[in-house]
């Protein structure tokens, strides 16, 4: 256990905040030790890749960095393969490993930052695919009982950027590994327009290979989303709002250019990036922060921004979008504060 550790290297926003205590977990047995020491009875924060959080202040609790590794074939047939992957494994490296094996299912999720253990928490998704589409189960230690448990996909209550791990099980479990089922037979998902266009630009084969699809996704992301190693950010800062169809129809009458998609059961999803751009925030910098020039939904740290500065900016954006469109944006990133 280390005292007063800077979390700057551990969050992709690059916020320079300290935590009071810091401990790295590499094996499940260490989680049991920490339970025995009572670590989880006081304030704690389990950290994966740090790619989906904003630290508002120095954290006065214990940060538990989840570094549990592992990549194992659990079962294999002619048609598919089930893998168990440690929570601390880097997501993108895992995707590339699977792409290189020709195992289909997560290639559209290439280049998403963060670790595998955090992936089911917010049901990571991109280009028409979500992790719930291939997830078999999630394995974790229940921090009060100390029991090792397995939760099947259907019991994880997955939704758009939602799961039981953000709700009922929030701060109650430490995810140790996930199991995913991938297909050995091509299983392309190319419906998302930008992928088709990019494959064409790249003169990809017809039909495209798994590697070409992964490369196309990487190229699209690189063209829009800033690299956290160059410009601190946490990907999409807000969720795309999901509203009733009637509200969407009325908005569309006022704003015919509104970007919207069907979201099931009488619901419509709006592109938050479009709303923010229309409100005039795209590429606008205030102090050390602002909305990215290529993707307004991404807030960035131009260097030296504090978490509070970025959060103030987020609130300016929320207020302004609400004033114009009557839509209250909600953060997708976890806001970490001692007061929470
Ligand atoms: N748009 C604008 N202006 C902007 C940004 C977007 O007009 O500044 C418009 C685009 O032209 C497009 C629409 O909004 O018509 C949607 O934009 P995009 O395809 O870039 O996707 P997104 O809805 O902004 C979501 C995810 C991303 C994911 C992409 C691709 C959320 C909150 N974000 O973004 O996920 O990569 O779709 O599937 O759902 C993340 O979660 O961190 C993330 C990057």
């Amino acid at each position: 256990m280390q005292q007063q550790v800077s979390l700057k290297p551990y969050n992709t926003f690059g916020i320079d905040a300290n935590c009071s205590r810091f401990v790295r977990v590499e094996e499940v047995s260490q989680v049991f030790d920490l339970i025995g020491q009572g670590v989880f009875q006081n304030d704690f924060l389990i950290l994966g890749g740090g790619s989906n959080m904003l630290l508002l202040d120095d954290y006065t609790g214990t940060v538990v960095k989840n570094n549990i590794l592992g990549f194992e074939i659990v079962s294999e047939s002619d048609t598919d393969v089930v893998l168990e992957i440690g929570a601390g494994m880097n997501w993108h490296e895992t995707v590339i490993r699977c792409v290189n094996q020709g195992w289909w299912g997560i290639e559209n999720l290439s280049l998403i930052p963060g670790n595998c253990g955090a992936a089911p928490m917010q049901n990571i998704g991109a280009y028409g695919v979500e992790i719930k589409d291939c997830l078999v189960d999630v394995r974790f230690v229940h921090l009060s009982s100390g029991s090792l448990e397995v939760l099947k996909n259907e019991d994880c209550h997955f939704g758009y950027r939602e799961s039981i791990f953000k709700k009922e099980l929030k701060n109650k479990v430490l995810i140790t590994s996930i199991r995913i089922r991938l297909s050995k037979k091509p299983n392309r998902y190319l419906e998302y327009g930008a992928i088709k266009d990019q494959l064409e630009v790249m003169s990809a084969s017809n039909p495209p290979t798994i590697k070409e699809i992964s490369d196309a996704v990487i190229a699209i992301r690189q063209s829009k989303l800033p690299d956290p190693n160059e410009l601190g950010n946490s990907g999409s800062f807000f969720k795309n709002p999901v509203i009733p169809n009637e509200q969407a129809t009325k908005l569309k009458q006022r704003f015919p250019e509104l970007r919207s998609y069907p979201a099931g059961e009488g619901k419509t999803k709006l592109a938050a990036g479009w709303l923010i751009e229309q409100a005039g925030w795209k590429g606008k910098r205030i102090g050390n922060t602002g909305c990215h020039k290529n993707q307004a939904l991404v807030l960035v740290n131009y260097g030296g921004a504090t978490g509070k500065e970025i959060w103030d900016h987020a609130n300016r954006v929320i207020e302004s979008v609400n004033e114009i469109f009557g839509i209250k944006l909600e953060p997708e990133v976890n806001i970490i504060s001692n007061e929470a």
Side-chain angles (χ1 to χ4, degrees):
M1 183 88 65
Q2 295 167 268
Q3 315 286 325
Q4 290 303 326
V5 171
S6 166
L7 295 174
K8 195 171 179 194
Y10 302 111
N11 74 99
T12 59
F13 250 127
I15 304 295
D16 196 3
N18 283 350
C19 66
S20 301
R21 290 167 299 283
F22 183 92
V23 62
R24 221 178 284 269
V25 160
E26 268 143 24
E27 281 169 36
V28 179
S29 63
Q30 288 172 283
V31 183
F32 298 131
D33 294 344
L34 294 178
I35 292 175
Q37 291 161 23
V39 164
F40 300 109
Q41 279 159 21
N42 298 304
D43 286 346
F44 66 91
L45 171 68
I46 297 169
L47 197 59
S51 61
N52 201 40
M53 62 179 224
L54 179 66
L55 289 155
L56 290 197
D57 5 62
D58 284 336
Y59 186 67
T60 53
T62 306
V63 168
V64 179
K65 175 88 175 82
N66 187 344
N67 271 7
I68 299 173
L69 303 181
F71 184 98
E72 212 179 291
I73 297 179
V74 176
S75 64
E76 195 171 4
S77 70
D78 289 347
T79 54
D80 56 28
V81 56
V82 175
L83 303 169
E84 180 160 346
I85 304 162
M89 297 288 282
N90 176 275
W91 174 259
H92 177 64
E93 284 167 19
T94 303
V95 170
I96 295 305
R97 208 157 155 175
C98 295
V99 164
N100 288 340
Q101 293 289 336
W103 295 334
W104 295 77
I106 51 176
E107 58 283 357
N108 290 34
L109 306 179
S110 296
L111 210 62
I112 294 185
N115 289 353
C116 294
M121 295 186 75
Q122 52 150 344
N123 184 22
I124 57 167
Y127 307 103
V129 174
E130 291 177 327
I131 190 170
K132 77 164 169 51
D133 303 332
C134 70
L135 192 104
V136 176
D137 60 43
V138 179
R139 287 150 193 259
F140 55 81
V141 177
H142 208 287
L143 297 172
S144 52
S145 64
S147 57
L148 259 176
E149 296 181 19
V150 180
L151 204 62
K152 289 203 166 70
N153 181 323
E154 56 270 31
D155 298 322
C156 292
H157 302 171
F158 287 124
Y160 165 60
R161 296 294 194 272
E162 277 302 343
S163 77
I164 195 169
F165 302 103
K166 282 177 84 173
K167 293 187 166 155
E168 292 94 319
L169 293 182
K170 188 174 178 184
N171 290 336
K172 295 206 165 63
V173 303
L174 185 145
I175 295 175
T176 51
S177 65
I178 60 171
R179 286 192 179 187
I180 57 174
R181 182 187 301 278
L182 301 178
S183 170
K184 290 186 177 175
K185 304 259 158 78
N187 188 10
R188 299 174 181 85
Y189 189 87
L190 306 174
E191 292 319 301
Y192 210 93
I195 294 195
K196 282 190 196 142
D197 297 344
Q198 183 61 35
L199 286 166
E200 223 169 275
V201 170
M202 289 165 37
S203 313
S205 347
N206 191 12
T209 64
I210 187 169
K211 174 82 168 48
E212 285 169 336
I213 297 171
S214 169
D215 285 346
V217 168
I218 291 172
I220 300 167
R221 290 188 76 97
Q222 284 177 336
S223 71
K224 285 190 180 181
L225 302 169
D227 178 350
N229 294 321
E230 286 159 21
L231 197 58
N233 75 89
S234 241
S236 301
F237 192 89
F238 302 102
K239 289 196 235 181
N240 282 328
V242 177
I243 60 171
N245 285 346
E246 305 82 69
Q247 192 185 357
T249 308
K250 280 188 194 147
L251 269 176
K252 199 119 196 165
Q253 282 161 2
R254 284 175 56 212
F255 304 98
E257 300 292 309
L258 188 80
R259 301 276 200 285
S260 63
Y261 322 89
E265 312 154 32
K267 301 259 170 74
T268 300
K269 193 191 274 181
L270 304 181
W274 186 86
L275 299 173
I276 299 169
E277 178 173 351
Q278 296 306 305
W281 292 106
K282 190 172 184 172
K284 203 172 213 176
R285 175 173 176 167
I286 296 184
N288 296 321
T289 184
C291 296
H292 191 244
K293 63 177 182 355
N294 298 338
Q295 197 357 326
L297 192 48
V298 177
L299 302 196
V300 294
N301 174 5
Y302 288 104
T306 62
K308 284 216 167 80
E309 205 176 340
I310 294 173
W311 186 226
D312 283 347
H313 185 70
N315 281 301
R316 279 192 287 270
V317 170
I318 292 173
E319 212 169 289
S320 144
V321 166
N322 196 22
E323 252 169 43
I324 301 170
F325 299 100
I327 301 281
K328 197 154 185 296
L329 294 178
E330 285 174 22
E332 196 218 302
V333 303
N334 298 307
I335 310 299
I336 310 294
S337 149
N338 295 307
E339 285 139 44

